[in-house]
Amino acid sequence: MKFVRYGPKGKEVPGVIDSTGTLYSLADVVKDIDGDALASDLPARVRSIGWNALPEVTTPPEGGWRWGSCIARPGKFVGIGLNYADHAKEAGLPVPTEPIIFLKASSSISGPTDPIIKPPHSTKLDWEVELGVVIGKTARHVSVDEALSYVAGYCVVNDVSERNFQMERGGTWDKGKGYDSFGPTGPWLVTPDEVPDPQALTLWLDVNGNRAQSGSTATMIFNVAQIISYVSEYMTLEPGDLITTGTPPGVGMGFKPPVFLDVGDVLTLGIEGLGSQRQEVVAWSR
């Protein structure tokens, strides 16, 4: 099943989509698609209630249709850097021997069709289509063999990055990764039963209608299970936490000469079975 959050920004309603594509409201079942809901085994609760007992959504909410981020603001938004060898090569950086961990601000999360805000003084705004993994139960020091049992679902993430802030302004990567709107997530949180192999998914991203990224999760350096196990050695992963797992080659800084986003540019991106996104770059304003 596919969990969603729909409605105006800040007023999203939790929902679920069945195998026929029908949307049902979960407003009477959970407050939101968040850590508390996932920790209570939400898929099992939906199955026990039964589809026929859930209200079907056919009328757009006040303000019109809009998909919000498929997970409410997580406690942690963890990024994995340079997790595709070809991407490390285009960045001019060595292939990691261990996963590179950085943190994106939870306030950076936005809906899959919300605009990307170009920050003041931004000169190198970039894109990264990535497989997102949402944690469903508390994970501490988990083994690789058991790691996938901690997954609540998978989603599309655009790890928007400002390369000047990230690489040329000193310190860690985080300041180039955490600006408002730098984490479009969704449209759906797809449960693991619909994703039998997270290492067999195609990813793609177009800039203004031109294909920039095309890859497969099969070429990750560290797979999803290895990432969860590794991260759980350094921090407790809690229900609702989001891990974004790295991007294939084709980001803007990898072009020769580099290509970066400006106001008016449009990104479309997606992952096999997990849906697609569309964002337009807009100027920052108060």
Side-chain angles (χ1 to χ4, degrees):
M1 62 188 70
K2 300 176 177 69
F3 293 110
V4 295
R5 300 170 67 248
Y6 61 95
K9 192 170 185 177
K11 298 181 179 179
E12 293 89 349
V13 178
V16 62
I17 298 174
D18 70 7
S19 60
T20 70
T22 303
L23 172 64
Y24 299 90
S25 172
L26 290 177
D28 294 332
V29 180
V30 292
K31 291 181 179 180
D32 210 339
I33 307 299
D34 57 12
D36 289 341
L38 298 177
S40 68
D41 196 352
L42 185 55
R45 292 174 65 186
V46 171
R47 286 190 290 268
S48 68
I49 293 168
W51 295 107
N52 292 337
L54 295 171
E56 184 177 341
V57 181
T58 57
T59 303
E62 183 179 353
W65 286 114
R66 169 189 169 272
W67 297 121
S69 166
C70 60
I71 184 74
R73 183 182 292 195
K76 288 186 286 298
F77 189 177
V78 181
I80 303 298
L82 303 177
N83 196 30
Y84 291 72
D86 287 348
H87 174 51
K89 181 179 179 180
E90 72 176 352
L93 297 168
V95 174
T97 56
E98 294 188 33
I100 295 172
I101 298 173
F102 61 90
L103 296 176
K104 290 179 72 79
S106 59
S107 55
S108 72
I109 289 183
S110 58
T113 58
D114 292 342
I116 293 170
I117 301 168
K118 185 178 182 182
H121 315 301
S122 168
T123 59
K124 297 182 178 180
L125 189 62
D126 208 344
W127 59 83
E128 295 188 11
V129 59
E130 304 197 5
L131 172 64
V133 181
V134 176
I135 299 299
K137 57 184 180 180
T138 301
R140 298 185 186 94
H141 303 287
V142 302
S143 70
V144 172
D145 289 342
E146 64 181 344
L148 293 185
S149 70
Y150 288 80
V151 175
Y154 301 94
C155 59
V156 183
V157 175
N158 186 357
D159 177 19
V160 182
S161 307
E162 214 301 334
R163 305 301 187 186
N164 179 27
F165 299 175
Q166 177 187 356
M167 297 179 171
E168 300 172 28
R169 300 292 296 272
T172 65
W173 288 5
D174 298 26
K175 61 181 143 185
K177 297 284 191 173
Y179 197 76
D180 293 354
S181 79
F182 276 22
T185 300
W188 313 316
L189 178 61
V190 183
T191 51
D193 59 294
E194 294 194 17
V195 187
D197 185 359
Q199 305 310 143
L201 303 174
T202 56
L203 309 85
W204 60 272
L205 182 145
D206 292 349
V207 182
N208 297 325
N210 299 310
R211 183 59 45 93
Q213 290 187 276
S214 182
S216 169
T217 58
T219 63
M220 284 182 179
I221 299 168
F222 307 103
N223 63 33
V224 172
Q226 291 169 325
I227 289 168
I228 294 170
S229 175
Y230 186 87
V231 174
S232 77
E233 294 291 317
Y234 299 97
M235 64 189 78
T236 298
L237 293 170
E238 300 173 317
D241 284 352
L242 172 61
I243 303 174
T244 190
T245 58
T247 197
V251 301
M253 70 175 179
F255 281 75
K256 299 187 184 304
V259 175
F260 296 113
L261 297 170
D262 205 348
V263 173
D265 287 336
V266 174
L267 298 177
T268 51
L269 58 144
I271 300 178
E272 177 185 1
L274 304 184
S276 60
Q277 302 185 353
R278 180 189 185 279
Q279 298 108 31
E280 181 175 350
V281 180
V282 301
W284 175 84
S285 66
R286 294 186 184 277

